[in-house]
Amino acid sequence: YMILLSVCRIKSLLPLRGMILNMMPSPVKKAYNPENIPLLVATASILQISETLLPHPIPGLRFGFANIVSLIILVQYGFKPALTVTLLRTVVSSFILGNFLSPGFILSFAGGLASICATGILYRISIRFDFFRVSPVGLGMTGAFVHNMVQITLAYLILIRLPGIFFLVPWLAFGALIFGAFSGNIATGIIKKLIQKVSIESIPIQPVPSYENKIFVEEDTLFHKSMPEIKFAIVLGLTLVVVLIENLMLYSFLFAVVLTAIPAAGLQYKTTFKIIRKLSIIILSTFLLPLYFNPGSHILIETPYFSLHSEAITSGVVFASRIILLALFSSILAQTTRTDMFTKGIQTFLKPFDRIGLNSEYISRTLFLSMISLPEVWDEIRSVIRFLLKGKKRTFKTLKETVIQLFVYIFSARNNRP
């Protein structure tokens, strides 16, 4: 940007310089209503949940639609609300999907935290120094890149301890730059319209029933009666055991415990194992990765083109079993924990951090309000999309403009609420 702006000092290129400066984020001037944070968390959560339905053949590489919300909040309102929305939408979406404390949640939470922190630091530098201005496109690319790099590093440290996993870095880096630029470009159009106070006409939204936790299974078992704090502690303890110890005998024992715990908790195997199907691509990739890089010395199969070692198969089974076990732990937790008890458990876990300025009560209340707001926000989003696309051809330009108008409506509606 500095080089490009320097070149644009040439008189003939001044229009280009103006265009670039117009893309730069300006210092935060808008005040936000903290009471609207649950609705923004619900909006970002719906985008993150919807994104899981889209195919992503390369593990860890996604469009990052929810990051658009965080990016807009960062530029419009500042770092603290952007951090709140980024972290809480990860918790909400994981609870709705039934994979809270699973490997996917851990990677997503860590990636989101690192991403918004890196983006926030870069944005703070950008608004303080005129010679180093970064547009939302640059912020989006930075956030996506940091997010993916943190995820793959953490995946290596706790899931797949095989250096070959870093061969995915070029793909993840390239995808991050592409999708990050896309998110930043969309955010640029939205921010410009918000600054210009452009809004679309109000759209009638039909009232919808309150949120119903479809993952939770109502039963009168010890698992359901146990305090959420105890269940969180057990799942976290088992997670540490599985991550730190690579032992197939131990994993076999834990599988037996899980198979026994499912009927004891009044749950069904089909429902509990549904989370495995959602992670099938990741589990298969985790198993095949050691076979491809083939570490070890004990040859089982050898051909002129390929050789297979016993150590490679063992590593693949260990890595895949680790992910399956962690996913099953989180699935049982989700099916035996009500929404109100879940948020209560979160508050209890975070309460010790109140001494350093964390407001556990506010976080718990925001999580609960975000969850019960999901049906309302989801119906609102669908109504706006149908209204904006009515009578229009489904072209890329139309879809892009629809997304921009959708976010303008969402943020305008949030700001106008009491």
Side-chain angles (χ1 to χ4, degrees):
Y1 281 112
M2 290 187 291
I3 295 174
L4 192 54
L5 289 176
S6 299
V7 173
C8 289
R9 288 194 177 98
I10 302 174
K11 187 174 183 180
S12 60
L13 297 179
L14 285 179
L16 178 60
R17 173 182 170 85
M19 180 184 70
I20 296 173
L21 285 174
N22 286 335
M23 293 180 62
M24 302 301 182
S26 56
V28 177
K29 295 181 180 179
K30 289 193 174 185
Y32 78 100
N33 184 354
E35 296 303 319
N36 288 333
I37 289 295
L39 295 173
L40 294 174
V41 172
T43 302
S45 300
I46 288 173
L47 292 174
Q48 184 165 335
I49 293 171
S50 302
E51 195 174 33
T52 61
L53 304 177
L54 300 176
H56 44 281
I58 300 179
L61 189 58
R62 298 187 180 183
F63 290 97
F65 294 135
N67 295 332
I68 298 176
V69 178
S70 300
L71 191 56
I72 297 172
I73 295 175
L74 173 65
V75 175
Q76 289 294 102
Y77 308 127
F79 176 73
K80 185 176 179 180
L83 176 66
T84 302
V85 170
T86 300
L87 298 184
L88 295 191
R89 53 101 166 166
T90 304
V91 176
V92 170
S93 59
S94 67
F95 182 73
I96 299 302
L97 293 172
N99 57 11
F100 178 66
L101 296 181
S102 70
F105 166 77
I106 296 173
L107 299 184
S108 180
F109 188 88
L113 175 60
S115 172
I116 195 62
C117 288
T119 307
I121 292 173
L122 186 61
Y123 176 69
R124 179 61 63 87
I125 296 174
S126 176
I127 62 177
R128 292 193 63 179
F129 301 99
D130 291 336
F131 66 87
F132 186 76
R133 302 298 296 276
V134 183
S135 73
V137 174
L139 295 176
M141 294 169 69
T142 300
F145 179 80
V146 172
H147 188 281
N148 284 355
M149 294 305 102
V150 168
Q151 280 198 327
I152 195 170
T153 302
L154 198 58
Y156 170 76
L157 293 175
I158 68 175
L159 295 176
I160 310 173
R161 298 192 184 99
L162 187 69
I165 191 176
F166 291 106
F167 277 83
L168 292 174
V169 166
W171 295 101
L172 294 176
F174 179 75
L177 296 180
I178 297 297
F179 294 137
F182 171 78
S183 301
N185 184 263
I186 295 294
T188 299
I190 297 167
I191 293 170
K192 285 183 177 180
K193 290 185 179 294
L194 290 175
I195 293 176
Q196 297 168 1
K197 297 183 179 180
V198 176
S199 61
I200 62 178
E201 60 184 280
S202 60
I203 299 174
I205 308 296
Q206 297 297 326
V208 296
S210 59
Y211 167 70
E212 179 184 354
N213 186 350
K214 296 181 180 180
I215 300 294
F216 175 72
V217 178
E218 186 70 49
E219 291 287 346
D220 187 23
T221 68
L222 179 62
F223 291 83
H224 291 75
K225 295 179 181 179
S226 299
M227 296 176 60
E229 298 86 349
I230 295 178
K231 288 187 278 190
F232 290 171
I234 292 175
V235 172
L236 288 173
L238 291 174
T239 299
L240 288 176
V241 170
V242 172
V243 167
L244 297 177
I245 302 177
E246 295 185 6
N247 188 298
L248 288 178
M249 292 295 295
L250 172 64
Y251 292 174
S252 299
F253 171 75
L254 292 177
F255 271 120
V257 171
V258 169
L259 293 176
T260 304
I262 291 174
L267 308 179
Q268 297 181 0
Y269 288 109
K270 181 180 179 181
T271 305
T272 306
F273 277 79
K274 185 183 296 184
I275 192 173
I276 305 301
R277 185 175 60 191
K278 297 178 181 179
L279 297 173
S280 57
I281 294 179
I282 296 178
I283 294 172
L284 180 61
S285 302
T286 303
F287 175 74
L288 294 178
L289 194 63
L291 303 186
Y292 177 80
F293 292 100
N294 219 2
S297 57
H298 296 82
I299 299 176
L300 291 180
I301 301 175
E302 186 172 17
T303 68
Y305 307 99
F306 176 76
S307 61
L308 180 63
H309 298 84
S310 59
E311 293 90 345
I313 295 179
T314 301
S315 297
V317 173
V318 167
F319 297 154
S321 299
R322 179 179 288 154
I323 294 178
I324 293 173
L325 278 171
L326 296 180
L328 291 176
F329 295 156
S330 65
S331 180
I332 295 174
L333 173 66
Q335 293 183 83
T336 59
T337 309
R338 295 200 316 266
T339 303
D340 57 336
M341 298 303 293
F342 171 77
T343 55
K344 178 179 176 295
I346 292 291
Q347 180 179 354
T348 303
F349 253 76
L350 296 180
K351 199 168 186 60
F353 296 95
D354 287 348
R355 298 178 180 178
I356 59 175
L358 189 69
N359 191 336
S360 59
E361 182 179 359
Y362 169 76
I363 293 175
S364 175
R365 183 170 66 90
T366 302
L367 282 174
F368 183 76
L369 293 176
S370 300
M371 291 177 185
I372 64 176
S373 300
L374 284 172
E376 173 192 351
V377 174
W378 174 236
D379 192 70
E380 184 178 25
I381 291 175
R382 287 192 302 175
S383 300
V384 174
I385 291 177
R386 284 197 298 263
F387 175 82
L388 294 175
L389 289 178
K390 187 177 181 180
K392 296 181 180 179
K393 293 183 178 180
R394 304 302 197 267
T395 64
F396 178 78
K397 182 178 180 180
T398 301
L399 293 176
K400 177 183 176 182
E401 186 61 28
T402 298
V403 172
I404 292 177
Q405 289 180 310
L406 170 65
F407 277 97
V408 170
Y409 176 88
I410 290 173
F411 277 87
S412 299
R414 301 295 176 263
N415 291 335
N416 293 331
R417 294 192 182 191

